[in-house]
């Protein structure tokens, strides 16, 4: 069902669970009726605001603070299902069996509240926000240690067995510390699935890796055995009584691998069932002991030390488990490492039968889970080293730790059942887990992360879907692919902007050349939605708030202007002067008229249709969260200004004044129809508010979609934060981002699951845009151009970057008289014709080096911006640095 039908049919009107407000950072407040319970003075603590800029430390969740129970970090490969890493290091949820369930925990919860008429909250309504999922374990899996030093101690990877567990939330690789003060051991685990930007294939392996490190801090030798187990749970629903689950074991080039499969004796085509497949566990250790008939509870004999146990075991009923065990003697002061791989292979993915695609992409390379383990074991050094290198590159920055975590971790949505990749290679996604199908353009166009981290997937999706099966002869794009045969105006405009982003994140012009005629057609369709020719889209068409609005609406007008400007730039790149002129005229007229007719002196509004007036639902004179979204998009892709800077900042300040509150409790208490994505005690930015205190601010005939206006949806908030950052409103950008971060504090709910219409919602990947803005980053692969203009800690700054063909780090150091910068490539090769930097020093001389070799370049200065045009294209290979010294 479409999202609108989910909400419309729910009966969900309002709700209220009241947490203690953040008194330490804000308040007390005197509420103003005029502002509808949103304080003009946010009364935020100045020291707290300053702390948001500080580097700080890695976010570390602790057992002793009761912060582990809700943690569910997606820890499988991208597009391989959902496997959660729990706070104590065990895996849970295991949504890998192609059930296509709605939400991570598909349940409806009862919610007794005077504010909630329906008294039921489903996953798409925010049930996991109200009642976070935990401890969902459809199969047995775990690790344990046997420690022998005088006496024998057995410790499982469970919270109850340790004095303390520390969980470092550094997606994509978590580090856990297991502390028992009596042991004399430092035990840590790096837990991850390979994640390598620009390498979507090796980032999409259906596996999880445990890499243990154990240091002996005592003066005596200590014997440690590490045991890992995994239950054979293949065909959990389709298994017949006559079917036999079968475990087998084998050795492979220094590794031991145990396979969990099934021998089918049931009906025909049972191997085509969604949950048919295999699982496996392995250890990268030639002396590993395997057991195909492992059982719980644990005893000392569970840790075998001498024999290879039976290599095959089968059962027709009851549990069946595999285990691997490695044995170590750790000398005083010595550190040992031990690595384990868990894998799964369930390739029978089928969604809506009208969709052109099924199966899983990993089935192209692997036919069972054992093949996955073998591949990972064979390539373990590269896969683990490059994943760790990305973790180090991303977090080795002067940006605040918490900021790096929150702006990046939402890309873990790709490692959940929100997102799939069919065996054909086609990317396909829901809006949130199991909810609202069709890779919806008006939602996914907010997501900035995948286009920067895995640009090849985005290029393929634009070409295969948006400009392929979704494109109609008149240029209209179907906004949900094959599923819905209609357009969405913001979805189409946002997709043209994505096409421009994908072009710039390409190594050359091939993508643009191959698709220009279709891009031009899709842009022409947008031009044709401006019926009166004033450059402002005015055709009633579906938008992301699931309604068809009449009139000229600032946020829709603005994103269409941005899209057409992007097409103007692509036309120039293609040498299509005629179409570039058409686009330029539209942009010029649109900008002029939007500023003249839709700006009320403080913010941008929705101008009603001249005939229909305010009959239908709309934002009208209210303060809407996306009102300058077109300019926000323009910043993301380096388009420059499409809306006057002064008016844009005025609109953003109005959003801060009228829509942001450190505690949404008083606001939502007075309203009905909203879904619980923020509750009393949570700070956030409300979607739409009524500063003028109009009696019917949203139209004469409001409908169920009105409830959206009273919600805090993190994807929209991230979009505003990214825009505020780009415009220099750094305090507001950090505060808003931090409010979202704190809403998902692990003591209250899963920090890795930002919820809108179901779990792991795609729009939340707009958070990466705030990182882009903080770096002042722009990149144009075909023209060999890169730019950095950091907004935070500009005198001493270090940030990561990605490009079409490389990633690495950029750092700068400056004073009033000098400026130096280093661009270092850590992966791939980077090709440049031009680099642009911002420096406050009165520069008269510049020198640029690659290593010790001087690079010739022409310097062009404009204000504090310095552009360096290289005499010859430069290539930076892995490990090389480009150094810029200005004086």
């Amino acid at each position: 069902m479409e999202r609108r039908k989910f909400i419309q049919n729910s009966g969900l009107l309002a709700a209220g669970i009241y947490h203690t407000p953040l008194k330490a950072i804000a308040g007390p407040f005197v509420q103003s009726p005029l502002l509808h319970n949103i304080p003009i003075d946010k009364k935020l603590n100045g020291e707290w605001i300053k702390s948001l800029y500080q580097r700080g430390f890695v976010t570390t969740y602790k057992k002793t603070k009761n912060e582990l129970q809700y943690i569910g970090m997606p820890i499988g490969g991208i597009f391989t299902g959902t496997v959660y890493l729990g706070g104590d290091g065990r895996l849970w949820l295991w949504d890998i069996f192609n059930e296509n369930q709605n939400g991570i925990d598909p349940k409806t919860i009862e919610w007794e509240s005077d504010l909630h008429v329906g008294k039921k909250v489903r996953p798409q309504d925010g049930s996991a926000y109200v009642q976070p999922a935990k401890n969902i374990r459809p199969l047995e899996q775990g690790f344990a240690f046997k420690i022998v030093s005088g006496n024998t101690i057995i410790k499982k990877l469970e919270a109850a067995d340790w004095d303390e567990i520390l969980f470092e939330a550094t997606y994509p690789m978590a580090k856990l510390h297991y502390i028992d003060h009596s042991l004399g051991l430092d035990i840590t685990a790096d837990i991850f699935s390979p994640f390598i930007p620009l390498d979507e294939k090796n980032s999409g392996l259906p596996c999880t890796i445990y890499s243990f490190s154990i240091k002996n801090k005592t003066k005596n030798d200590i014997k440690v055995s590490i045991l890992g187990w995994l239950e054979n749970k293949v065909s959990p629903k389709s298994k017949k009584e006559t079917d036999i689950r079968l475990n087998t074991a084998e050795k492979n080039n220094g590794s031991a691998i145990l396979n969990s499969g099934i021998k089918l004796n049931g009906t025909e085509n049972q191997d085509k069932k969604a949950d048919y497949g295999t699982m496996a566990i392995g250890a990268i250790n030639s002396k590993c002991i395997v057991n195909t008939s492992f059982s719980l509870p644990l005893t000392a004999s569970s840790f075998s030390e001498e024999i290879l146990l039976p290599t095959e075991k089968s059962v027709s009923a009851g549990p069946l488990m595999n285990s691997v065990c490695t044995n170590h003697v750790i000398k005083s002061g010595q550190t040992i490492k031990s690595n384990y791989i868990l894998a799964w292979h369930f390739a029978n993915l089928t969604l809506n039968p009208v969709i052109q695609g099924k199966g899983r992409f990993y089935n192209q390379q692997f036919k069972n889970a054992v093949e996955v383990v073998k591949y990972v074991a064979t390539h373990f050094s590269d896969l683990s080293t490059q994943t760790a290198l990305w973790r180090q590159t991303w977090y080795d920055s002067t940006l605040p730790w918490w900021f790096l975590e929150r702006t990046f971790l939402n890309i873990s949505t790709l490692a959940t059942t929100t997102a799939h990749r069919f065996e054909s290679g086609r990317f396909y996604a829901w809006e949130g887990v199991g909810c609202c199908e069709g890779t919806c353009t008006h939602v996914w166009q907010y997501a900035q992360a995948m286009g920067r981290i895995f640009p090849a997937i985005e290029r393929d999706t634009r070409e295969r879907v948006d400009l392929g099966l979704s494109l109609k002869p008149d240029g209209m794009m179907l906004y949900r692919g094959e599923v819905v045969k209609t357009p969405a105006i913001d979805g189409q405009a946002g997709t043209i902007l994505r096409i421009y982003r994908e072009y710039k994140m390409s190594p050359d012009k091939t993508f643009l050349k191959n698709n220009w005629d279709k891009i031009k057609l899709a842009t022409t369709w947008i031009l044709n939605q401006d019926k009166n020719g004033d450059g402002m889209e005015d055709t009633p068409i579906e938008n992301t708030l699931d309604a068809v609005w009449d009139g000229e609406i600032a946020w829709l007008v603005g994103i269409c202007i941005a899209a057409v400007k992007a097409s103007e730039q692509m036309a120039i790149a293609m040498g299509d002067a005629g179409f570039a002129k058409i686009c330029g005229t539209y942009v010029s007229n649109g900008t002029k008229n939007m500023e003249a007719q839709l700006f009320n002196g403080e913010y941008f509004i929705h101008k009603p249709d001249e005939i229909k007036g305010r009959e239908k639902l709309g934002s009208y004179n209210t303060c809407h969260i996306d009102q300058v979204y077109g300019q926000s998009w323009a910043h993301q892709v380096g388009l420059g200004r499409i809306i006057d800077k002064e008016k844009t900042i005025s609109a953003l300040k109005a959003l801060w004044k009228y829509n942001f509150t450190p505690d949404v409790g008083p606001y939502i208490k007075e309203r009905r129809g909203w879904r619980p994505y923020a509750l009393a005690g949570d700070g956030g930015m409300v979607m739409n508010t009524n500063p003028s205190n109009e009696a019917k601010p949203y139209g004469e005939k409001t409908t169920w979609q009105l409830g959206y206006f009273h919600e805090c949806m993190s994807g929209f908030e991230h979009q505003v934060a990214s825009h505020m950052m780009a415009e220099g409103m750094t305090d507001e950008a950090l505060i808003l981002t931090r409010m979202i971060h704190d809403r998902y504090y692990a003591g209250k709910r899963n920090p890795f699951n930002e919820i809108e219409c179901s779990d792991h919602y795609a729009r939340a990947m707009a958070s990466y845009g705030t990182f882009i803005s903080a770096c002042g980053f722009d990149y144009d692969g075909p023209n060999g151009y890169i730019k950095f203009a950091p907004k935070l800690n500009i005198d001493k700054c270090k940030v990561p970057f990605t490009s079409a063909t490389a990633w690495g780090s950029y750092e700068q150091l400056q004073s009033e008289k000098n400026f130096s910068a280093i661009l270092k490539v850590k992966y791939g090769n980077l090709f440049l014709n031009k680099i642009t930097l911002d420096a406050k020093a009165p520069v008269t001389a510049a020198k640029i080096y690659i290593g010790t070799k001087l690079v010739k370049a022409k310097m062009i200065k404009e204000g504090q911006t310095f552009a360096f045009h290289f005499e010859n294209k430069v290539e930076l290979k892995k490990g090389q640095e480009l150094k810029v010294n200005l004086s």
Side-chain angles (χ1 to χ4, degrees), residues 37-57:
N37 310 104
I38 291 188
I40 296 176
D41 182 356
K42 310 306 175 184
K43 296 187 181 294
L44 294 164
N45 182 285
E47 292 303 312
W48 176 78
I49 295 173
K50 288 180 183 179
S51 75
L52 301 181
Y53 288 84
Q54 295 172 5
R55 170 63 174 156
F57 303 94

Side-chain angles (χ1 to χ4, degrees), residues 8 87 109 134 147 238 246 278 291 298 330 343 392 619 716 727 746 799 864:
Q8 194 172 20
I109 64 172
K134 61 179 181 178
I147 302 160
S238 68
L246 179 67
T278 56
N291 185 351
L298 287 176
I330 310 176
Q392 183 270 336
S619 56
F716 293 96
E727 300 287 1
V799 294
Q864 291 188 329

